Amino acid sequence: MQLSEATQYIKTAQLLRDQIPSKSRYPFHLPVVNMLEKLSFHPQVTYLIGENGMGKSTLLEAIAISAGFNPEGGTFNFNFSTHDSHSELEKYLRVAKGVLRPKDGFFLRAETYYNVATHIEELDNEPSFDGKVIDQFGGVSLHEQSHGESFFSAFLHRFRGRGLYIMDEPEAALSPLRQLSMLARIHELVHEESQFIIATHSPILMAYPNSIIYEFSQNGIHKRELEETNHYSLMKQFFDDRERLLHHLFHLD
Ligand SMILES: Nc1ncnc2c1ncn2[C@@H]1O[C@H](COP(=O)(O)OP(=O)(O)OP(=O)(O)O)[C@@H](O)[C@H]1O
Ligand SMILES: [Mg+2]
């Protein structure tokens, strides 16, 4: 079996347009949902990028729930809820799965990571024969590590390969150097038959070569090369000629 076939746990996501209850309310009113056709995922890495508020997290969450994750995030086994605020998009999304099932998985949501950390502590406070869950995360309570450290230790220790990893802005906690380390770890995990779907604003993180980048905008979802993306060209402009950009920004004479 080709590596690509082995790792395509999720192949496509398609909106069941004729079944949606209303086009005028969240999440169906969002242009990216409204104009959603069939989205094909790369067997290795797929990026969802675009401006704030375009609907990346909304779509990512619906994909993750359809893939069997808890809306709050965590592994496939995590089954807890602190509040139930997810959109109903997943009911109207048909997600086509591949031949093989992932052996590992994680849905990382930036805003609920704290809840996952708390849940691990609660699990470890209960008697168990299986060893402590926290040992899978590097052994130190995720609450006692910095945001970046705890995320990175989860990424290094908890992600074991042959996995489906869905992540929402994982760069939020990471320094540029750690973002590069993350790319290196993604590369290792890809070679251990893993598939990633990542929403990100980071031009560093979106640079994995074997990937598809989908840019979300008011005009729907479009496939882009890294150099064609708004994020990349803005960053490039900034670093190439910061003075000029700042000049325009501050309306200086
Ligand atoms: N529970 C909700 N009810 C109503 N509207 C919502 C809800 N959650 C998000 N929205 C709106 O839907 C839009 C898309 O939100 P979403 O979080 O998916 O954007 P995003 O692309 O992930 O943005 P960002 O880059 O800032 O994370 C936003 O305008 C947001 O205000
Ligand atoms: Mg988001």
Side-chain angles (χ1 to χ4, degrees):
M1 190 179 283
Q2 300 245 321
L3 185 63
S4 60
E5 280 176 49
T7 62
Q8 202 167 28
Y9 303 116
I10 290 194
K11 294 179 136 177
T12 56
Q14 190 176 7
L15 185 70
L16 303 173
R17 192 177 304 282
D18 49 344
Q19 294 181 23
I20 59 173
S22 156
K23 281 192 171 182
S24 56
R25 64 177 164 87
Y26 176 80
F28 310 105
H29 74 293
L30 296 172
V32 296
V33 175
N34 216 313
M35 292 184 245
L36 181 65
E37 297 302 333
K38 199 184 236 183
L39 207 61
S40 298
F41 298 106
H42 192 283
Q44 301 180 331
V45 183
T46 304
Y47 295 108
L48 312 185
I49 71 157
E51 278 310 310
N52 294 123
M54 284 299 127
K56 300 178 298 295
S57 297
T58 303
L59 187 60
L60 200 68
E61 177 188 79
I63 295 166
I65 299 170
S66 304
F69 290 105
N70 187 296
E72 296 270 337
T75 66
F76 285 119
N77 298 328
F78 280 28
N79 196 2
F80 68 100
S81 183
T82 39
H83 62 284
D84 201 31
S85 68
H86 66 277
S87 84
E88 47 179 345
L89 182 58
E90 94 272 3
K91 286 192 224 152
Y92 305 96
L93 202 64
R94 177 180 293 151
V95 170
K97 298 185 180 156
V99 224
L100 296 181
R101 290 171 63 85
K103 297 268 182 289
D104 188 32
F106 208 92
F107 173 31
L108 182 107
R109 328 183 36 146
E111 69 272 36
T112 53
Y113 194 60
Y114 183 88
N115 297 337
V116 173
T118 303
H119 182 62
I120 290 170
E121 289 195 339
E122 284 168 7
L123 283 179
D124 282 346
N125 286 337
E126 292 165 13
S128 157
F129 297 108
D130 296 334
K132 289 199 178 291
V133 181
I134 195 65
D135 290 338
Q136 299 171 9
F137 290 84
V140 182
S141 163
L142 298 187
H143 286 308
E144 290 167 22
Q145 303 182 42
S146 82
H147 191 188
E149 286 169 337
S150 70
F151 168 66
F152 208 69
S153 78
F155 193 58
L156 284 183
H157 300 283
R158 176 57 193 77
F159 291 22
R160 285 181 292 232
R162 298 177 90 180
L164 172 64
Y165 303 111
I166 299 183
M167 299 195 272
D168 199 352
E169 295 189 37
E171 75 274 14
L174 301 179
S175 73
L177 185 63
R178 282 266 165 105
Q179 291 181 36
L180 286 176
S181 310
M182 183 160 173
L183 276 182
R185 181 74 179 129
I186 287 175
H187 188 58
E188 282 174 6
L189 286 162
V190 156
H191 281 90
E192 293 164 11
E193 298 176 15
S194 300
Q195 183 183 24
F196 287 84
I197 302 171
I198 304 173
T200 181
H201 291 296
S202 162
I204 296 179
L205 203 63
M206 63 182 83
Y208 192 72
N210 292 325
S211 65
I212 296 176
I213 299 177
Y214 287 116
E215 191 167 56
F216 286 41
S217 76
Q218 295 293 347
N219 302 319
I221 303 178
H222 297 280
K223 209 190 256 193
R224 299 272 186 249
E225 295 302 318
L226 176 63
E227 292 77 9
E228 298 169 343
T229 64
N230 283 333
H231 291 348
Y232 180 92
S233 54
L234 191 70
M235 280 289 191
K236 183 155 176 4
Q237 265 183 50
F238 184 79
F239 288 117
D240 283 352
D241 197 348
R242 177 165 42 109
E243 296 294 325
R244 189 156 149 257
L245 201 72
L246 292 179
H247 186 84
H248 284 296
L249 204 57
F250 302 156
H251 307 293
L252 299 174
D253 297 319

